Amino acid sequence: MPPQSEVGETVQAVETAFDILGEIRSRDNVTLSELADELSLAKSTVHRHLRTLNDRHCITHEDGEFELSFELLALGEAARRKRETYALAEEKVAELAAETGERAQFVVEEDGVGFCVFRATGEHAVETEPQVGSRMPLHATASGKSILAFLPDHRIQDLFEASLPEETTNTITDRESLLEELDAVREQGYAANRGEHIEGLTAFGAPVRRSDGGVVGAISISGPERRFEDTDVEREIRSRLLGTTNELELNIAHSQ
């Protein structure tokens, strides 16, 4: 988070540019008029931003419709590869997805939000969020709770100053209840998400920690709740998850 003295000291033009990029991202194709209407901006303002973004190769356009450019892919990939430990996680995520047939992902925390860095799908996986690059709430996801449980106390308190939005009817939104769950995560070494982020989806997550105890991120595996209702299946999923995170932690320790 920025220092307190910098809060509110933002550049409106930059905020507008990111609003436009976000709106383009949420659609397959979008026109200038649609952007202006959706963002409640003058067409002339949107046009100037679009022209600048196009000149900087951040967007492309054809027949009056705009799309994100692959130039942004290079920026995202640079962020994803900025730490060697992230690259080590990619292989383990792929292995876990192949072994279980489900969807696996590696998630990191940045500025109080979870980001999906790597994602792999097994033969039985369902296509739901998160996609690579997706933001996700820490309190409502298995990977997020795994990370939260091993952050320093002052970081947890800072994050809890914000509200805990209800993603589904199963989301834990009470701070005391969430703190109790984080205690359980520390004791058992993994977190569960039973329809707390996406209804009908169950996930288990485990933290990836450095030798000094700090948390690098978390690996989670998810699938339809009906498939995970079998206790033997759930036990096997958790066992493979914990084995994978342990292997990754060893790889990280010996790579430094």
Side-chain angles (χ1 to χ4, degrees), residues 88 92 208-211 243-256:
L88 293 173
K92 291 304 177 184
V208 177
R209 304 176 69 191
R210 298 186 298 270
S211 56
T244 297
T245 53
N246 182 239
E247 288 177 18
L248 180 54
E249 288 172 341
L250 289 172
N251 290 344
I252 292 172
H254 289 287
S255 70
Q256 297 173 342

Side-chain angles (χ1 to χ4, degrees), residues 230-247:
D230 187 307
T231 55
D232 290 335
V233 171
E234 181 176 312
R235 189 179 300 111
E236 176 67 14
I237 290 289
R238 293 201 309 263
S239 176
R240 288 186 180 273
L241 173 66
L242 292 172
T244 297
T245 53
N246 182 239
E247 288 177 18

Side-chain angles (χ1 to χ4, degrees), residues 44 58 67 79 86 148 168 190 197 215 250:
S44 58
C58 292
E67 295 181 305
Y86 293 177
L148 274 175
T168 73
Y190 68 88
H197 186 220
V215 62
L250 289 172

Side-chain angles (χ1 to χ4, degrees), residues 95-232:
E95 288 178 1
L96 187 61
E99 290 172 359
T100 62
E102 303 292 355
R103 192 191 71 201
Q105 48 272 321
F106 176 64
V107 174
V108 301
E109 179 267 332
E110 188 173 80
D111 292 336
V113 179
F115 287 88
C116 180
V117 178
F118 294 110
R119 180 178 186 265
T121 54
E123 60 180 337
H124 303 303
V126 293
E127 285 296 330
T128 62
E129 293 183 352
Q131 303 293 328
V132 170
S134 295
R135 299 163 59 97
M136 65 194 75
L138 297 178
H139 71 288
T141 57
S143 53
K145 287 188 283 187
S146 297
I147 293 171
L148 274 175
F150 293 95
L151 289 178
D153 289 343
H154 72 274
R155 288 286 327 277
I156 295 175
Q157 292 303 322
D158 287 346
L159 294 174
F160 278 15
E161 287 182 3
S163 63
L164 302 174
E166 183 178 270
E167 302 289 319
T168 73
T169 56
N170 294 322
T171 307
I172 299 174
T173 58
D174 176 72
R175 296 181 186 184
E176 290 303 318
S177 297
L178 184 56
L179 286 171
E180 289 178 7
E181 177 144 347
L182 296 183
D183 285 339
V185 172
R186 296 184 192 99
E187 183 176 339
Q188 62 197 15
Y190 68 88
N193 158 23
R194 302 182 190 277
E196 296 167 49
H197 186 220
I198 298 173
E199 290 188 5
L201 194 75
T202 294
F204 297 98
V208 177
R209 304 176 69 191
R210 298 186 298 270
S211 56
D212 64 4
V215 62
V216 175
I219 292 179
S220 64
I221 185 163
S222 56
E225 64 178 25
R226 291 292 178 87
R227 200 145 68 214
F228 282 23
E229 283 179 345
D230 187 307
T231 55
D232 290 335

